[in-house]
Amino acid sequence: MNQLPVQRASELSIDSAPLSHWLVEGLWSDQAVGILGGEPKCCKSFLALDLAVSVASGAPCLRRFAVRRSGPVLLFPAEDSLAVVRRRLEGICSAAEVGFQSLPVEVITTPTLRLDAPKDRERLSNTVQALQPRLLILDPLIRLHRLDENDASQIAALLSYLRQLQRAFHVAVLVVHHARKDANVTRPGQALRGSSELHGWGDSNLYMRRRGAQLTLSTEHRAAASQEHIPLQLTQAGSALALCVASDSPIAEPASEPSTLQRVQQILAGLDQPVTVQQLRKLCGLRTATVCSCLAELANTGAVTRHSKGYQLNPALQSPPVSLSPSIGPQGNGNGKQSPSRPLNSPDQPHICSSGG
């Protein structure tokens, strides 16, 4: 009879369950797989490189989080040039007071690496086997495949390969991935682009967010307590740039999230043309009923006007606009003059949200 192998729970080796120990205290579990996520331009790559320097050297990450198990690091930077990667690593080493020349960070220099291609999977596996790194960093996920990130079955297969890599070679795997834009009102893990498989896969996940000039870091672990709103700042000494914890920042006590009404008003304030309910719903990440309720409340205060093409914040309340799409020409009545706006819910228009427009 062909059966699966089993073993009594009390006889399982404790060495095969490393996730009760840290690779970097509070940030990344030993031999964990996971995502370092955030919107574009949130310094995700800087944080990934800081982790690389810390694990490779044993110096505290961000000058704050102790490294519990140091060792070689293998890095594939798919977006940044090798010159930029070197300059950033040198700057972080300077901030961490670590010798750059002897730093055991190995950089994969091939132009492309496709984790959905069997040949490239084999090459990566052979490289990990040969170098035996403590940490593998892949930055970013979007450059590592040609799959549909919203297709759970396709993404699950890719993540399964990385999990097999972790188990076969006892290596921690960190994948840098983008979050959706304007996702600050969403739980960080749920804001990651693509399938929810990405959020569920991680043993340790890190999330970077930006509010104006302020960066914050949140952590999420499968087997440890999480942390939220760790304030970070990008500092410069000469030509060297590095992240550090801004312990004296006023964001250490995080401001409350904007209300749904404020969220809708903020989105409307950044648009230079009317927007439909469905477009606004997608921009805000809210339910249609919630958007309609907010629009009705804004209309009652005179903050919103309904046009033939949708809803728009009154000009006096708008900030510098951002177009939804390139403008083809002025919206008018054919003679170069602008058609006058009609008030919300005027007698010749449907009631707010009644037509889905």
Side-chain angles (χ1 to χ4, degrees):
M1 183 182 297
N2 187 16
Q3 294 181 319
L4 294 170
V6 299
Q7 189 173 7
R8 181 69 58 86
S10 60
E11 298 174 353
L12 293 174
S13 169
I14 60 174
D15 293 334
S16 64
L19 293 181
S20 60
H21 305 290
W22 291 108
L23 181 65
V24 180
E25 185 81 34
L27 295 186
W28 208 261
S29 301
D30 187 31
Q31 298 183 37
V33 300
I35 300 290
L36 194 173
E39 296 180 33
K41 311 306 179 187
C42 279
C43 295
K44 299 185 297 296
S45 293
F46 268 101
L47 179 55
L49 293 178
D50 209 295
L51 281 160
V53 169
S54 297
V55 172
S57 66
C61 185
L62 301 171
R63 275 45 73 206
R64 175 69 62 86
F65 301 95
V67 174
R68 298 305 181 192
R69 297 192 69 193
S70 62
V73 174
L74 180 61
L75 165 69
F76 179 58
E79 282 189 333
D80 296 317
S81 70
L82 298 179
V84 167
V85 172
R86 178 191 173 112
R87 186 162 59 248
R88 288 180 175 180
L89 285 170
E90 283 186 295
I92 295 168
C93 283
S94 176
E97 299 181 348
V98 166
F100 176 66
Q101 296 298 328
S102 59
L103 188 73
V105 173
E106 303 294 334
V107 180
I108 298 173
T109 57
T110 184
T112 59
L113 176 65
R114 302 294 183 187
L115 299 184
D116 52 331
K119 177 180 284 189
D120 279 6
R121 286 188 182 186
E122 181 182 7
R123 294 171 69 199
L124 179 59
S125 297
N126 291 342
T127 304
V128 172
Q129 183 176 23
L131 297 177
Q132 294 293 308
R134 184 77 69 192
L135 173 65
L136 168 65
I137 297 176
L138 303 168
D139 179 13
L141 178 64
I142 188 64
R143 305 291 176 226
L144 300 172
H145 65 86
R146 293 191 179 95
L147 305 175
D148 180 357
E149 288 185 352
N150 294 301
D151 188 323
S153 61
Q154 294 185 45
I155 287 298
L158 186 152
L159 298 178
S160 178
Y161 161 72
L162 292 176
R163 174 66 79 177
Q164 292 170 11
L165 204 65
Q166 172 254 314
R167 289 174 173 168
F169 302 111
H170 308 290
V171 59
V173 180
L174 184 152
V175 179
V176 178
H177 185 47
H178 295 297
R180 297 189 301 274
K181 295 180 180 179
D182 298 319
N184 281 333
V185 297
T186 308
R187 181 182 173 192
Q190 296 300 314
L192 294 173
R193 281 190 348 194
S195 168
S196 59
E197 288 285 330
L198 290 159
H199 183 205
W201 173 70
D203 303 314
S204 288
N205 287 338
L206 303 177
Y207 306 108
M208 295 287 290
R209 283 183 163 176
R210 180 186 291 277
R211 290 177 180 168
Q214 179 62 60
L215 295 168
T216 59
L217 168 66
S218 299
T219 72
E220 185 179 48
H221 305 287
R222 193 183 300 278
S226 300
Q227 303 177 70
E228 294 186 353
H229 303 290
I230 302 169
L232 302 182
Q233 62 184 16
L234 191 62
T235 59
Q236 183 168 2
S239 61
L241 286 171
L243 287 170
C244 68
V245 177
S247 56
D248 55 349
S249 169
I251 265 216
E253 290 296 329
S256 59
E257 296 284 359
S259 67
T260 53
L261 182 67
Q262 291 171 329
R263 180 65 176 159
V264 170
Q265 189 166 354
Q266 288 171 0
I267 294 296
L268 286 170
L271 302 176
D272 67 347
Q273 57 187 290
V275 61
T276 67
V277 170
Q278 291 307 312
Q279 287 175 319
L280 188 57
R281 180 188 67 81
K282 292 178 181 179
L283 289 170
C284 298
L286 300 171
R287 297 171 55 196
T288 301
T290 303
V291 172
C292 288
S293 175
C294 291
L295 286 172
E297 188 171 346
L298 291 170
N300 289 336
T301 62
V304 164
T305 299
R306 177 169 181 167
H307 302 261
S308 60
K309 294 184 179 292
Y311 305 94
Q312 189 170 27
L313 203 67
N314 285 333
L317 299 174
Q318 282 187 304
S319 59
V322 176
S323 297
L324 281 175
S325 59
S327 177
I328 297 175
Q331 300 296 320
N333 54 17
N335 59 6
K337 295 182 179 181
Q338 198 76 7
S339 298
S341 298
R342 288 176 290 182
L344 188 68
N345 296 336
S346 60
D348 57 340
Q349 287 185 303
H351 188 270
I352 189 168
C353 295
S354 61
S355 62

